[in-house]
Amino acid sequence: MADHIKIRDAEGTWVVRAGGAVLGESSKALELTEGEMPFVIYFPRGDIAMAFLDKSQTVTHCPHKGDATHYDIEIKSGTIRDAGWSYEDPKPEMARIKDHMAFYAEKVTVEQV
């Protein structure tokens, strides 16, 4: 594992909302910190309403985590493009984030409840 990436169980319950709708809530979320960047909450996919998410064409690469598949979120007022991502086949050192979703804080609301 890259020395600057830490994954731990996130304390408490976390929720993700978009367009006023709750897309997911989890007490089994993970908190990933990478270097000096703010932590990111990774939700188990089983705790996300995946019916509201559509896989987009966007794939990004992290040398430490692998390739991230991005997702659009469909809400009443339209589509939030590339609002979340998932490492569907992460590098072995990052196996804990497999089957989890993370979201861009500037596109949705992620908060502890």
Short mmCIF file of all heavy atoms in Angstrom, two decimals, residues 58-113:
data_model
loop_
_atom_site.label_atom_id
_atom_site.label_comp_id
_atom_site.label_asym_id
_atom_site.label_seq_id
_atom_site.Cartn_x
_atom_site.Cartn_y
_atom_site.Cartn_z
N THR A 58 -16.40 8.07 -18.33
CA THR A 58 -15.16 8.54 -17.70
C THR A 58 -14.49 7.45 -16.87
O THR A 58 -15.12 6.80 -16.04
CB THR A 58 -15.46 9.75 -16.78
OG1 THR A 58 -16.12 10.76 -17.55
CG2 THR A 58 -14.19 10.31 -16.18
N VAL A 59 -13.20 7.27 -17.13
CA VAL A 59 -12.35 6.40 -16.33
C VAL A 59 -11.09 7.19 -16.02
O VAL A 59 -10.48 7.77 -16.92
CB VAL A 59 -11.99 5.09 -17.07
CG1 VAL A 59 -11.02 4.24 -16.26
CG2 VAL A 59 -13.24 4.29 -17.41
N THR A 60 -10.73 7.25 -14.75
CA THR A 60 -9.50 7.93 -14.36
C THR A 60 -8.55 6.91 -13.75
O THR A 60 -8.97 5.83 -13.32
CB THR A 60 -9.77 9.07 -13.37
OG1 THR A 60 -10.46 8.55 -12.23
CG2 THR A 60 -10.60 10.18 -14.00
N HIS A 61 -7.28 7.25 -13.71
CA HIS A 61 -6.28 6.32 -13.19
C HIS A 61 -5.52 6.94 -12.03
O HIS A 61 -5.08 8.09 -12.11
CB HIS A 61 -5.29 5.93 -14.29
CG HIS A 61 -4.23 5.00 -13.81
ND1 HIS A 61 -4.46 3.66 -13.60
CD2 HIS A 61 -2.95 5.23 -13.46
CE1 HIS A 61 -3.34 3.10 -13.14
NE2 HIS A 61 -2.42 4.03 -13.05
N CYS A 62 -5.39 6.19 -10.96
CA CYS A 62 -4.54 6.56 -9.83
C CYS A 62 -3.42 5.52 -9.77
O CYS A 62 -3.71 4.32 -9.76
CB CYS A 62 -5.34 6.55 -8.53
SG CYS A 62 -4.31 6.73 -7.05
N PRO A 63 -2.17 5.94 -9.72
CA PRO A 63 -1.09 4.96 -9.69
C PRO A 63 -1.09 4.09 -8.43
O PRO A 63 -0.50 3.01 -8.44
CB PRO A 63 0.18 5.82 -9.77
CG PRO A 63 -0.23 7.18 -9.35
CD PRO A 63 -1.69 7.31 -9.70
N HIS A 64 -1.77 4.53 -7.39
CA HIS A 64 -1.79 3.77 -6.14
C HIS A 64 -3.04 2.91 -5.98
O HIS A 64 -2.98 1.85 -5.33
CB HIS A 64 -1.69 4.72 -4.94
CG HIS A 64 -0.52 5.63 -5.02
ND1 HIS A 64 0.77 5.18 -4.92
CD2 HIS A 64 -0.44 6.96 -5.21
CE1 HIS A 64 1.60 6.19 -5.05
NE2 HIS A 64 0.89 7.29 -5.22
N LYS A 65 -4.17 3.38 -6.55
CA LYS A 65 -5.43 2.66 -6.35
C LYS A 65 -5.88 1.89 -7.59
O LYS A 65 -6.58 0.89 -7.47
CB LYS A 65 -6.52 3.64 -5.92
CG LYS A 65 -6.25 4.27 -4.55
CD LYS A 65 -7.38 5.16 -4.06
CE LYS A 65 -7.53 6.45 -4.76
NZ LYS A 65 -6.62 7.53 -4.47
N GLY A 66 -5.54 2.34 -8.76
CA GLY A 66 -5.95 1.69 -10.00
C GLY A 66 -6.88 2.57 -10.81
O GLY A 66 -6.84 3.79 -10.70
N ASP A 67 -7.73 1.95 -11.63
CA ASP A 67 -8.65 2.68 -12.50
C ASP A 67 -10.00 2.87 -11.81
O ASP A 67 -10.56 1.92 -11.27
CB ASP A 67 -8.86 1.92 -13.81
CG ASP A 67 -7.61 1.90 -14.67
OD1 ASP A 67 -6.79 2.83 -14.55
OD2 ASP A 67 -7.46 0.96 -15.47
N ALA A 68 -10.49 4.10 -11.86
CA ALA A 68 -11.79 4.43 -11.25
C ALA A 68 -12.83 4.63 -12.35
O ALA A 68 -12.64 5.41 -13.27
CB ALA A 68 -11.68 5.71 -10.42
N THR A 69 -13.92 3.89 -12.23
CA THR A 69 -15.07 4.05 -13.10
C THR A 69 -15.97 5.12 -12.49
O THR A 69 -16.24 5.10 -11.29
CB THR A 69 -15.84 2.72 -13.20
OG1 THR A 69 -14.95 1.73 -13.71
CG2 THR A 69 -17.06 2.86 -14.10
N HIS A 70 -16.41 6.07 -13.31
CA HIS A 70 -17.24 7.17 -12.81
C HIS A 70 -18.72 6.93 -13.12
O HIS A 70 -19.05 6.20 -14.05
CB HIS A 70 -16.77 8.50 -13.39
CG HIS A 70 -15.47 8.93 -12.80
ND1 HIS A 70 -14.29 8.27 -13.01
CD2 HIS A 70 -15.18 9.95 -11.98
CE1 HIS A 70 -13.32 8.87 -12.34
NE2 HIS A 70 -13.83 9.90 -11.71
N TYR A 71 -19.56 7.59 -12.33
CA TYR A 71 -21.01 7.42 -12.43
C TYR A 71 -21.71 8.77 -12.44
O TYR A 71 -21.34 9.67 -11.70
CB TYR A 71 -21.53 6.60 -11.24
CG TYR A 71 -21.14 5.15 -11.33
CD1 TYR A 71 -19.88 4.73 -10.94
CD2 TYR A 71 -22.03 4.20 -11.81
CE1 TYR A 71 -19.50 3.39 -11.03
CE2 TYR A 71 -21.68 2.87 -11.91
CZ TYR A 71 -20.41 2.47 -11.52
OH TYR A 71 -20.04 1.14 -11.62
N ASP A 72 -22.75 8.86 -13.29
CA ASP A 72 -23.65 10.00 -13.30
C ASP A 72 -24.80 9.67 -12.34
O ASP A 72 -25.14 8.50 -12.16
CB ASP A 72 -24.24 10.23 -14.69
CG ASP A 72 -23.20 10.54 -15.75
OD1 ASP A 72 -22.12 11.05 -15.41
OD2 ASP A 72 -23.48 10.25 -16.93
N ILE A 73 -25.40 10.70 -11.75
CA ILE A 73 -26.56 10.52 -10.89
C ILE A 73 -27.76 11.16 -11.57
O ILE A 73 -27.70 12.32 -11.98
CB ILE A 73 -26.34 11.15 -9.50
CG1 ILE A 73 -25.16 10.48 -8.80
CG2 ILE A 73 -27.61 11.03 -8.66
CD1 ILE A 73 -24.79 11.15 -7.47
N GLU A 74 -28.83 10.39 -11.70
CA GLU A 74 -30.07 10.88 -12.28
C GLU A 74 -30.97 11.39 -11.16
O GLU A 74 -31.31 10.64 -10.25
CB GLU A 74 -30.77 9.77 -13.06
CG GLU A 74 -29.97 9.22 -14.23
CD GLU A 74 -29.69 10.24 -15.31
OE1 GLU A 74 -30.52 11.16 -15.51
OE2 GLU A 74 -28.64 10.13 -15.96
N ILE A 75 -31.32 12.68 -11.23
CA ILE A 75 -32.24 13.27 -10.25
C ILE A 75 -33.38 13.93 -11.02
O ILE A 75 -33.32 14.05 -12.25
CB ILE A 75 -31.52 14.28 -9.33
CG1 ILE A 75 -30.84 15.39 -10.14
CG2 ILE A 75 -30.50 13.57 -8.44
CD1 ILE A 75 -30.24 16.50 -9.32
N LYS A 76 -34.41 14.37 -10.31
CA LYS A 76 -35.59 14.98 -10.95
C LYS A 76 -35.23 16.09 -11.91
O LYS A 76 -35.79 16.20 -12.99
CB LYS A 76 -36.54 15.54 -9.89
CG LYS A 76 -37.49 14.57 -9.32
CD LYS A 76 -38.45 15.30 -8.39
CE LYS A 76 -39.46 14.36 -7.82
NZ LYS A 76 -40.40 15.04 -6.93
N SER A 77 -34.30 16.94 -11.50
CA SER A 77 -33.98 18.11 -12.31
C SER A 77 -32.95 17.84 -13.41
O SER A 77 -32.58 18.74 -14.14
CB SER A 77 -33.49 19.24 -11.41
OG SER A 77 -32.33 18.83 -10.70
N GLY A 78 -32.48 16.61 -13.53
CA GLY A 78 -31.51 16.31 -14.59
C GLY A 78 -30.45 15.33 -14.15
O GLY A 78 -30.68 14.49 -13.28
N THR A 79 -29.29 15.45 -14.75
CA THR A 79 -28.19 14.53 -14.51
C THR A 79 -27.01 15.28 -13.89
O THR A 79 -26.63 16.35 -14.37
CB THR A 79 -27.73 13.89 -15.84
OG1 THR A 79 -28.85 13.20 -16.42
CG2 THR A 79 -26.60 12.90 -15.61
N ILE A 80 -26.45 14.70 -12.85
CA ILE A 80 -25.20 15.21 -12.28
C ILE A 80 -24.09 14.34 -12.85
O ILE A 80 -23.96 13.16 -12.50
CB ILE A 80 -25.20 15.15 -10.73
CG1 ILE A 80 -26.41 15.89 -10.16
CG2 ILE A 80 -23.89 15.72 -10.18
CD1 ILE A 80 -26.59 15.70 -8.66
N ARG A 81 -23.34 14.90 -13.77
CA ARG A 81 -22.31 14.15 -14.49
C ARG A 81 -21.12 13.81 -13.60
O ARG A 81 -20.65 14.65 -12.83
CB ARG A 81 -21.81 14.96 -15.69
CG ARG A 81 -22.89 15.29 -16.68
CD ARG A 81 -23.03 14.21 -17.72
NE ARG A 81 -24.11 14.56 -18.63
CZ ARG A 81 -25.03 13.71 -19.02
NH1 ARG A 81 -25.01 12.48 -18.61
NH2 ARG A 81 -25.97 14.10 -19.84
N ASP A 82 -20.66 12.57 -13.73
CA ASP A 82 -19.46 12.10 -13.03
C ASP A 82 -19.45 12.50 -11.56
O ASP A 82 -18.47 13.01 -11.05
CB ASP A 82 -18.19 12.61 -13.74
CG ASP A 82 -18.05 12.03 -15.14
OD1 ASP A 82 -18.41 10.86 -15.34
OD2 ASP A 82 -17.55 12.75 -16.03
N ALA A 83 -20.54 12.24 -10.88
CA ALA A 83 -20.69 12.64 -9.48
C ALA A 83 -20.01 11.70 -8.51
O ALA A 83 -19.68 12.08 -7.39
CB ALA A 83 -22.16 12.75 -9.13
N GLY A 84 -19.80 10.47 -8.92
CA GLY A 84 -19.19 9.49 -8.03
C GLY A 84 -18.25 8.58 -8.80
O GLY A 84 -18.23 8.58 -10.03
N TRP A 85 -17.49 7.79 -8.06
CA TRP A 85 -16.57 6.85 -8.68
C TRP A 85 -16.42 5.61 -7.83
O TRP A 85 -16.74 5.59 -6.65
CB TRP A 85 -15.22 7.50 -8.94
CG TRP A 85 -14.41 7.76 -7.70
CD1 TRP A 85 -13.48 6.92 -7.12
CD2 TRP A 85 -14.44 8.92 -6.86
NE1 TRP A 85 -12.94 7.49 -5.99
CE2 TRP A 85 -13.51 8.72 -5.81
CE3 TRP A 85 -15.17 10.10 -6.90
CZ2 TRP A 85 -13.31 9.66 -4.81
CZ3 TRP A 85 -14.97 11.04 -5.89
CH2 TRP A 85 -14.04 10.82 -4.87
N SER A 86 -15.92 4.57 -8.49
CA SER A 86 -15.71 3.30 -7.83
C SER A 86 -14.48 2.62 -8.43
O SER A 86 -14.32 2.62 -9.65
CB SER A 86 -16.94 2.40 -8.03
OG SER A 86 -16.76 1.14 -7.44
N TYR A 87 -13.65 2.06 -7.57
CA TYR A 87 -12.53 1.25 -8.03
C TYR A 87 -13.03 -0.19 -8.06
O TYR A 87 -13.04 -0.87 -7.06
CB TYR A 87 -11.32 1.41 -7.10
CG TYR A 87 -10.66 2.76 -7.24
CD1 TYR A 87 -11.01 3.81 -6.41
CD2 TYR A 87 -9.71 2.97 -8.22
CE1 TYR A 87 -10.42 5.05 -6.55
CE2 TYR A 87 -9.11 4.22 -8.37
CZ TYR A 87 -9.47 5.25 -7.53
OH TYR A 87 -8.88 6.48 -7.67
N GLU A 88 -13.49 -0.61 -9.23
CA GLU A 88 -14.12 -1.92 -9.35
C GLU A 88 -13.12 -3.06 -9.32
O GLU A 88 -13.47 -4.18 -8.98
CB GLU A 88 -15.00 -1.93 -10.58
CG GLU A 88 -16.14 -0.93 -10.40
CD GLU A 88 -17.01 -0.71 -11.62
OE1 GLU A 88 -16.82 -1.40 -12.64
OE2 GLU A 88 -17.90 0.15 -11.52
N ASP A 89 -11.88 -2.76 -9.67
CA ASP A 89 -10.80 -3.75 -9.60
C ASP A 89 -9.54 -3.04 -9.10
O ASP A 89 -8.59 -2.85 -9.85
CB ASP A 89 -10.58 -4.39 -10.98
CG ASP A 89 -9.60 -5.54 -10.93
OD1 ASP A 89 -9.43 -6.15 -9.86
OD2 ASP A 89 -8.99 -5.84 -11.99
N PRO A 90 -9.56 -2.62 -7.82
CA PRO A 90 -8.43 -1.84 -7.31
C PRO A 90 -7.16 -2.67 -7.21
O PRO A 90 -7.21 -3.91 -7.26
CB PRO A 90 -8.89 -1.40 -5.92
CG PRO A 90 -9.84 -2.48 -5.50
CD PRO A 90 -10.53 -2.91 -6.77
N LYS A 91 -6.05 -1.99 -7.05
CA LYS A 91 -4.78 -2.69 -6.81
C LYS A 91 -4.93 -3.51 -5.54
O LYS A 91 -5.68 -3.14 -4.64
CB LYS A 91 -3.65 -1.68 -6.72
CG LYS A 91 -3.41 -0.98 -8.04
CD LYS A 91 -2.12 -0.23 -8.05
CE LYS A 91 -1.90 0.26 -9.47
NZ LYS A 91 -0.51 0.48 -9.75
N PRO A 92 -4.23 -4.62 -5.44
CA PRO A 92 -4.38 -5.51 -4.28
C PRO A 92 -4.24 -4.81 -2.93
O PRO A 92 -4.95 -5.14 -1.98
CB PRO A 92 -3.28 -6.56 -4.48
CG PRO A 92 -3.05 -6.58 -5.96
CD PRO A 92 -3.27 -5.16 -6.42
N GLU A 93 -3.37 -3.83 -2.83
CA GLU A 93 -3.16 -3.12 -1.57
C GLU A 93 -4.37 -2.27 -1.18
O GLU A 93 -4.48 -1.83 -0.04
CB GLU A 93 -1.94 -2.19 -1.66
CG GLU A 93 -0.67 -2.86 -2.11
CD GLU A 93 -0.56 -2.96 -3.63
OE1 GLU A 93 -0.97 -2.04 -4.37
OE2 GLU A 93 -0.06 -4.00 -4.10
N MET A 94 -5.26 -2.02 -2.12
CA MET A 94 -6.44 -1.19 -1.89
C MET A 94 -7.73 -2.01 -1.91
O MET A 94 -8.82 -1.48 -2.09
CB MET A 94 -6.53 -0.09 -2.97
CG MET A 94 -5.37 0.86 -2.97
SD MET A 94 -5.44 1.91 -1.52
CE MET A 94 -3.72 1.99 -1.12
N ALA A 95 -7.62 -3.30 -1.71
CA ALA A 95 -8.77 -4.21 -1.83
C ALA A 95 -9.96 -3.80 -0.95
O ALA A 95 -11.10 -4.09 -1.29
CB ALA A 95 -8.35 -5.63 -1.50
N ARG A 96 -9.72 -3.10 0.14
CA ARG A 96 -10.83 -2.71 1.03
C ARG A 96 -11.84 -1.79 0.35
O ARG A 96 -13.01 -1.75 0.74
CB ARG A 96 -10.30 -2.00 2.28
CG ARG A 96 -9.85 -2.96 3.36
CD ARG A 96 -9.56 -2.25 4.65
NE ARG A 96 -10.78 -2.04 5.44
CZ ARG A 96 -10.83 -1.30 6.53
NH1 ARG A 96 -9.75 -0.69 6.99
NH2 ARG A 96 -11.96 -1.16 7.20
N ILE A 97 -11.43 -1.03 -0.67
CA ILE A 97 -12.36 -0.11 -1.31
C ILE A 97 -13.12 -0.74 -2.48
O ILE A 97 -13.97 -0.09 -3.08
CB ILE A 97 -11.70 1.21 -1.72
CG1 ILE A 97 -10.59 0.99 -2.74
CG2 ILE A 97 -11.21 1.98 -0.50
CD1 ILE A 97 -10.02 2.27 -3.34
N LYS A 98 -12.82 -2.00 -2.78
CA LYS A 98 -13.58 -2.70 -3.83
C LYS A 98 -15.05 -2.77 -3.39
O LYS A 98 -15.34 -2.91 -2.21
CB LYS A 98 -13.02 -4.10 -4.05
CG LYS A 98 -13.72 -4.86 -5.16
CD LYS A 98 -13.04 -6.19 -5.40
CE LYS A 98 -13.76 -7.05 -6.41
NZ LYS A 98 -13.95 -6.45 -7.72
N ASP A 99 -15.95 -2.65 -4.33
CA ASP A 99 -17.39 -2.68 -4.07
C ASP A 99 -17.85 -1.52 -3.20
O ASP A 99 -18.81 -1.64 -2.45
CB ASP A 99 -17.81 -4.02 -3.45
CG ASP A 99 -17.53 -5.19 -4.38
OD1 ASP A 99 -17.70 -5.03 -5.61
OD2 ASP A 99 -17.13 -6.27 -3.89
N HIS A 100 -17.15 -0.39 -3.30
CA HIS A 100 -17.52 0.84 -2.59
C HIS A 100 -17.63 1.98 -3.60
O HIS A 100 -17.03 1.93 -4.67
CB HIS A 100 -16.46 1.20 -1.54
CG HIS A 100 -16.52 0.35 -0.31
ND1 HIS A 100 -16.18 -0.98 -0.30
CD2 HIS A 100 -16.91 0.66 0.96
CE1 HIS A 100 -16.33 -1.47 0.92
NE2 HIS A 100 -16.78 -0.49 1.70
N MET A 101 -18.40 3.00 -3.22
CA MET A 101 -18.58 4.20 -4.04
C MET A 101 -18.14 5.42 -3.24
O MET A 101 -18.42 5.50 -2.04
CB MET A 101 -20.06 4.41 -4.40
CG MET A 101 -20.67 3.41 -5.35
SD MET A 101 -20.17 3.61 -7.07
CE MET A 101 -20.48 5.32 -7.39
N ALA A 102 -17.49 6.35 -3.92
CA ALA A 102 -17.15 7.64 -3.34
C ALA A 102 -17.76 8.72 -4.23
O ALA A 102 -18.08 8.47 -5.39
CB ALA A 102 -15.64 7.80 -3.24
N PHE A 103 -17.91 9.92 -3.66
CA PHE A 103 -18.59 10.99 -4.37
C PHE A 103 -17.83 12.30 -4.25
O PHE A 103 -17.17 12.55 -3.25
CB PHE A 103 -20.01 11.16 -3.81
CG PHE A 103 -20.87 9.95 -3.99
CD1 PHE A 103 -20.90 8.96 -3.02
CD2 PHE A 103 -21.61 9.78 -5.14
CE1 PHE A 103 -21.67 7.82 -3.18
CE2 PHE A 103 -22.40 8.64 -5.32
CZ PHE A 103 -22.41 7.67 -4.34
N TYR A 104 -17.96 13.15 -5.28
CA TYR A 104 -17.34 14.46 -5.27
C TYR A 104 -18.16 15.40 -4.39
O TYR A 104 -19.34 15.63 -4.64
CB TYR A 104 -17.25 15.03 -6.69
CG TYR A 104 -16.24 14.30 -7.54
CD1 TYR A 104 -16.64 13.35 -8.48
CD2 TYR A 104 -14.88 14.54 -7.39
CE1 TYR A 104 -15.71 12.67 -9.26
CE2 TYR A 104 -13.94 13.87 -8.17
CZ TYR A 104 -14.37 12.94 -9.09
OH TYR A 104 -13.45 12.26 -9.86
N ALA A 105 -17.52 15.95 -3.36
CA ALA A 105 -18.19 16.81 -2.39
C ALA A 105 -18.78 18.06 -3.05
O ALA A 105 -19.76 18.62 -2.55
CB ALA A 105 -17.22 17.20 -1.27
N GLU A 106 -18.22 18.51 -4.16
CA GLU A 106 -18.76 19.70 -4.82
C GLU A 106 -19.99 19.38 -5.69
O GLU A 106 -20.65 20.30 -6.19
CB GLU A 106 -17.67 20.40 -5.66
CG GLU A 106 -17.13 19.60 -6.80
CD GLU A 106 -15.96 18.68 -6.44
OE1 GLU A 106 -15.68 18.46 -5.25
OE2 GLU A 106 -15.34 18.16 -7.38
N LYS A 107 -20.32 18.10 -5.84
CA LYS A 107 -21.45 17.71 -6.67
C LYS A 107 -22.62 17.15 -5.87
O LYS A 107 -23.77 17.19 -6.33
CB LYS A 107 -21.01 16.69 -7.72
CG LYS A 107 -19.99 17.30 -8.70
CD LYS A 107 -19.66 16.33 -9.79
CE LYS A 107 -18.68 17.00 -10.77
NZ LYS A 107 -18.54 16.24 -12.01
N VAL A 108 -22.34 16.57 -4.71
CA VAL A 108 -23.37 15.99 -3.83
C VAL A 108 -23.04 16.36 -2.40
O VAL A 108 -21.98 16.93 -2.12
CB VAL A 108 -23.47 14.45 -3.97
CG1 VAL A 108 -23.77 14.04 -5.41
CG2 VAL A 108 -22.21 13.77 -3.48
N THR A 109 -23.92 16.01 -1.49
CA THR A 109 -23.67 16.25 -0.06
C THR A 109 -23.34 14.91 0.60
O THR A 109 -24.12 13.96 0.50
CB THR A 109 -24.91 16.85 0.62
OG1 THR A 109 -25.22 18.10 -0.02
CG2 THR A 109 -24.66 17.09 2.10
N VAL A 110 -22.18 14.85 1.23
CA VAL A 110 -21.76 13.69 2.00
C VAL A 110 -21.54 14.19 3.42
O VAL A 110 -20.74 15.10 3.64
CB VAL A 110 -20.47 13.04 1.46
CG1 VAL A 110 -19.99 11.93 2.37
CG2 VAL A 110 -20.69 12.53 0.05
N GLU A 111 -22.28 13.61 4.37
CA GLU A 111 -22.15 14.08 5.75
C GLU A 111 -22.42 12.98 6.76
O GLU A 111 -23.13 12.01 6.47
CB GLU A 111 -23.06 15.27 6.00
CG GLU A 111 -24.53 14.97 5.85
CD GLU A 111 -25.40 16.22 5.89
OE1 GLU A 111 -24.87 17.31 6.16
OE2 GLU A 111 -26.61 16.09 5.68
N GLN A 112 -21.87 13.19 7.93
CA GLN A 112 -22.11 12.28 9.04
C GLN A 112 -23.41 12.70 9.71
O GLN A 112 -23.66 13.89 9.91
CB GLN A 112 -20.95 12.34 10.03
CG GLN A 112 -20.99 11.26 11.07
CD GLN A 112 -19.73 11.27 11.95
OE1 GLN A 112 -19.03 12.27 12.03
NE2 GLN A 112 -19.48 10.15 12.59
N VAL A 113 -24.26 11.72 10.04
CA VAL A 113 -25.53 12.03 10.68
C VAL A 113 -25.56 11.47 12.09
O VAL A 113 -24.79 10.63 12.45
CB VAL A 113 -26.74 11.49 9.87
CG1 VAL A 113 -26.86 12.24 8.57
CG2 VAL A 113 -26.63 10.00 9.62
#
